[in-house]
Amino acid sequence: MIALFDSGIGGLTVLKPVLKRLPQYDYLYLGDSARSPYGSRSEETICRFAEEAVEYLFSRGAKLIIFACNTASSVALRHVQQKYLKGAKEKDRKILGVLIPVAEEAVKHTKSGRVGVVGTKATISSQAYDTEIHKLNPEIKVYSAACPLLVPFIEEGWHTRLEAISILRKYLKPLKSCNIDTLILGCTHYPMMQKQFERYVGGKVKVFGTGEVVAEKLASYLERHPEIEKKLSRAPRAPAKDAPAKESQGKRLFLTTDDPARFKAFAEKYLGMKMKTPEKINLN
Amino acid sequence: MIALFDSGIGGLTVLKPVLKRLPQYDYLYLGDSARSPYGSRSEETICRFAEEAVEYLFSRGAKLIIFACNTASSVALRHVQQKYLKGAKEKDRKILGVLIPVAEEAVKHTKSGRVGVVGTKATISSQAYDTEIHKLNPEIKVYSAACPLLVPFIEEGWHTRLEAISILRKYLKPLKSCNIDTLILGCTHYPMMQKQFERYVGGKVKVFGTGEVVAEKLASYLERHPEIEKKLSRAPRAPAKDAPAKESQGKRLFLTTDDPARFKAFAEKYLGMKMKTPEKINLN
């Protein structure tokens, strides 16, 4: 199955477009809500949490793990890839992050060669977006800003209040004079404030988050890697004679390290779907 | 030695007055910064984290553990006391919280019989302060308000900004019309915003946090329990002939589950003292 891992609920902004684009596969979503947010923690701690999640998800049969979390992708992805994907027996396992697809999209879009990135402290200080963008085009200028208080506001449901907008403006002010034409929302929570970001940077700046880009790139990745695609569990194909126009839907399983009821209430509302009570697990 | 446990840095507002009042003992401070804040987590998760901390601190030789964290005191104290202090061999071990001393102080102070309590979501929804106050005087009316965004503002150092004040006002507004004369800052972070709280509720309302009250009650507890006091490690007493007016100072050891450098920077500034780099530990 395909597993998505996030520090909490933010990764649902990735899961939603992925489910829409590729509904036929079985999905496992793991939110480490007991230890969220990751964005203000040290690199060492984020790597340890990511290792625990990867080991757990492999033990549950995941073949493809997506870090649906910019902080974990920025800080821990390379580390876990090196640790868990080196042996011959891990050949059929993959761990992907969200940064490369988003960096590719930004490079494709920018005309001015000036790209903005907002994210958690850990994401911004890792300079992982800068690195990925410069691999594609070293001429592009990257301007970044950490926005640590936005996640608490979003988790609290207070992100459309004046105080949240005022704080967003303070964070973005240094980017305002940089003539960017592209702004990467480098935290999976931020699409929940997409409108507020767009309003502040103005209509000429393209603002995009992680979700849709990752969904599209995942579809193309699976087309290019049939050896991975074949191993993914999925909804049984309908017999040819009754074949519906659209493929049927795979299973969805949700895991959380904290209160399942709280997770369920948020996830059902955000995803617009009913789900069984998520499974409560411990990662350590 | 005496151990203080907190989800992160908030407990330093308890440690500071305790060190001032009782400098002679050896102290061990543990901040679980890798998993802070606790205040928005479920009861089950907070109890699990508290268990891990208690087991660890006992393994390090702590005889007396103080939960310098209102959330852990409200939600997990009774649970860990029942789990770890029942057997005969644990007779010389104690685990204390911060709620009872603070509730006693509030009951002693109030004239109107109307007391306000602010704290994290977990503290407020546990109604632990209501319970302790009503044990002392069931006639007292307790009005409470959860203030979940204040901890992120304080940790960010943004708590004196207009947005923080505006949010504090929104949280306190329902208490404003309750004619309280006493306000308990039921979160160890909040004394860092004491002035902002005082300004909003006005000079007639006594606002007090956990630190000083706990320091005073701890001193009196140790006087009343010489069997505990005798077992605490402490600075060697100076020989009688050179005896200084003041007792010498015991050892201070700091432990954190996340970045020791970040913890040290904050703690040295807040406590106004130099310290060795804190020890990094894992609680699980």
Side-chain angles (χ1 to χ4, degrees):
Chain A
M1 73 193 103
I2 300 175
L4 279 86
F5 158 59
D6 179 50
S7 60
I9 54 169
L12 296 174
T13 68
V14 179
L15 181 66
K16 193 176 183 176
V18 167
L19 289 182
K20 196 175 163 194
R21 180 69 180 80
L22 300 162
Q24 66 273 34
Y25 300 108
D26 294 345
Y27 290 93
L28 180 65
Y29 181 95
L30 166 59
D32 189 12
S33 302
R35 305 190 294 192
S36 69
Y38 282 8
S40 55
R41 315 221 184 278
S42 67
E43 193 180 319
E44 194 184 326
T45 295
I46 296 164
C47 284
R48 179 164 65 87
F49 289 176
E51 282 180 23
E52 290 168 359
V54 163
E55 285 178 19
Y56 183 85
L57 290 169
F58 280 152
S59 82
R60 290 288 293 249
K63 293 291 174 203
L64 174 58
I65 299 175
I66 299 167
F67 276 18
C69 170
N70 281 273
T71 300
S73 296
S74 298
V75 173
L77 182 68
R78 188 171 308 242
H79 168 77
V80 295
Q81 283 173 334
Q82 281 170 352
K83 181 159 182 177
Y84 297 103
L85 303 180
K86 275 197 150 174
K89 65 171 187 158
E90 289 97 14
K91 247 185 162 174
D92 59 343
R93 289 173 170 178
K94 290 282 167 197
I95 310 172
L96 303 176
V98 289
L99 266 71
I100 296 176
V102 176
E104 286 173 353
E105 196 65 18
V107 170
K108 208 167 79 184
H109 181 268
T110 184
K111 300 277 180 293
S112 69
R114 291 161 173 264
V115 172
V117 182
V118 286
T120 65
K121 274 186 189 174
T123 296
I124 297 306
S125 72
S126 76
Q127 298 192 299
Y129 268 109
D130 310 54
T131 307
E132 293 305 336
I133 289 170
H134 289 149
K135 274 186 206 164
L136 299 164
N137 183 346
E139 302 296 315
I140 290 177
K141 291 207 167 2
V142 181
Y143 301 91
S144 55
C147 309
L149 282 168
L150 298 188
V151 168
F153 268 100
I154 292 167
E155 298 246 344
E156 207 40 41
W158 277 37
H159 53 284
T160 56
R161 294 201 182 220
L162 281 179
E163 294 85 356
I165 316 285
S166 166
I167 282 170
L168 181 146
R169 287 177 179 186
K170 279 188 178 141
Y171 287 142
L172 285 184
K173 206 176 169 192
L175 297 191
K176 192 84 177 181
S177 54
C178 299
N179 291 321
I180 57 169
D181 65 352
T182 308
L183 179 64
I184 295 173
L185 302 185
C187 169
T188 51
H189 278 80
Y190 297 174
M192 301 185 198
M193 286 187 84
Q194 178 122 5
K195 276 183 202 162
Q196 286 78 23
F197 276 105
E198 284 172 344
R199 244 174 249 150
Y200 184 71
V201 294
K204 286 181 188 161
V205 179
K206 168 85 176 170
V207 176
F208 59 88
T210 318
E212 279 76 13
V213 178
V214 170
E216 210 44 61
K217 298 276 177 175
L218 178 62
S220 112
Y221 177 87
L222 293 177
E223 268 172 36
R224 284 179 289 116
H225 293 85
E227 77 286 2
I228 303 278
E229 200 277 341
K230 262 189 276 177
K231 286 185 182 123
L232 297 174
S233 60
R234 52 190 296 155
R237 284 188 178 80
K241 56 176 181 169
D242 315 315
K246 219 173 147 184
E247 276 192 285
S248 39
Q249 190 177 287
K251 293 175 197 141
R252 284 93 178 86
L253 184 59
F254 293 87
L255 312 174
T256 175
T257 55
D258 205 353
D259 185 16
R262 208 180 292 172
F263 184 93
K264 185 185 178 194
F266 184 90
E268 282 193 334
K269 195 174 160 195
Y270 182 76
L271 297 174
M273 63 183 263
K274 286 279 163 205
M275 61 176 65
K276 278 192 226 164
T277 299
E279 195 179 320
K280 165 91 189 284
I281 63 152
N282 284 345
L283 276 182
N284 46 69
Chain B
M1 71 194 104
I2 300 175
L4 279 85
F5 158 59
D6 180 50
S7 60
I9 54 169
L12 296 173
T13 67
V14 179
L15 181 67
K16 193 176 183 176
V18 167
L19 289 181
K20 197 175 164 193
R21 181 69 182 79
L22 300 162
Q24 67 271 35
Y25 300 109
D26 295 345
Y27 291 92
L28 180 66
Y29 180 95
L30 165 59
D32 188 10
S33 302
R35 306 190 292 193
S36 71
Y38 282 8
S40 55
R41 315 222 184 275
S42 67
E43 193 180 319
E44 194 183 327
T45 294
I46 296 164
C47 284
R48 179 164 65 86
F49 290 175
E51 282 180 23
E52 289 167 1
V54 164
E55 286 179 18
Y56 183 85
L57 290 168
F58 279 151
S59 82
R60 291 287 293 248
K63 292 290 173 205
L64 174 58
I65 299 174
I66 298 167
F67 276 19
C69 170
N70 282 272
T71 300
S73 296
S74 298
V75 173
L77 183 66
R78 188 171 306 242
H79 168 77
V80 295
Q81 283 173 332
Q82 283 172 349
K83 180 158 182 176
Y84 297 103
L85 303 179
K86 276 197 150 174
K89 66 169 187 158
E90 289 96 15
K91 248 185 162 174
D92 59 342
R93 289 174 170 178
K94 290 282 168 198
I95 310 172
L96 304 175
V98 289
L99 266 70
I100 296 175
V102 177
E104 285 172 354
E105 196 64 19
V107 169
K108 208 169 78 186
H109 182 268
T110 183
K111 298 281 181 293
S112 69
R114 290 160 173 266
V115 172
V117 181
V118 285
T120 64
K121 275 187 189 174
T123 297
I124 298 306
S125 71
S126 75
Q127 298 192 299
Y129 268 110
D130 310 54
T131 306
E132 293 306 335
I133 290 171
H134 289 148
K135 275 186 202 162
L136 299 163
N137 182 346
E139 301 296 314
I140 289 176
K141 290 209 170 0
V142 182
Y143 301 91
S144 55
C147 310
L149 282 169
L150 298 188
V151 168
F153 268 100
I154 292 167
E155 298 247 344
E156 206 41 41
W158 278 37
H159 52 286
T160 56
R161 295 201 182 218
L162 281 180
E163 294 85 357
I165 317 283
S166 167
I167 282 171
L168 181 147
R169 286 176 177 186
K170 280 189 176 140
Y171 287 143
L172 286 184
K173 207 177 169 192
L175 297 191
K176 192 84 176 181
S177 54
C178 300
N179 292 319
I180 56 169
D181 65 352
T182 308
L183 178 64
I184 295 173
L185 302 184
C187 169
T188 51
H189 278 79
Y190 297 173
M192 302 184 196
M193 287 187 83
Q194 178 123 4
K195 276 186 203 160
Q196 286 77 23
F197 275 105
E198 284 171 345
R199 244 173 249 151
Y200 184 71
V201 295
K204 287 181 185 160
V205 179
K206 168 86 174 165
V207 176
F208 58 86
T210 318
E212 279 76 13
V213 178
V214 169
E216 210 44 62
K217 299 275 176 174
L218 178 62
S220 115
Y221 176 88
L222 293 176
E223 268 173 36
R224 286 179 289 117
H225 292 87
E227 78 285 4
I228 303 280
E229 201 276 342
K230 263 188 278 176
K231 287 187 181 123
L232 298 174
S233 61
R234 52 191 295 155
R237 285 187 180 79
K241 56 176 181 167
D242 316 314
K246 219 174 145 185
E247 278 193 283
S248 39
Q249 190 176 287
K251 292 174 198 141
R252 285 92 178 86
L253 184 60
F254 293 86
L255 313 174
T256 176
T257 55
D258 205 353
D259 186 16
R262 208 180 293 173
F263 184 94
K264 186 183 178 197
F266 184 89
E268 283 194 334
K269 196 174 161 195
Y270 182 75
L271 297 175
M273 63 182 263
K274 287 276 163 206
M275 62 176 66
K276 277 191 228 163
T277 299
E279 193 181 318
K280 165 92 188 285
I281 64 152
N282 284 345
L283 277 183
N284 47 67

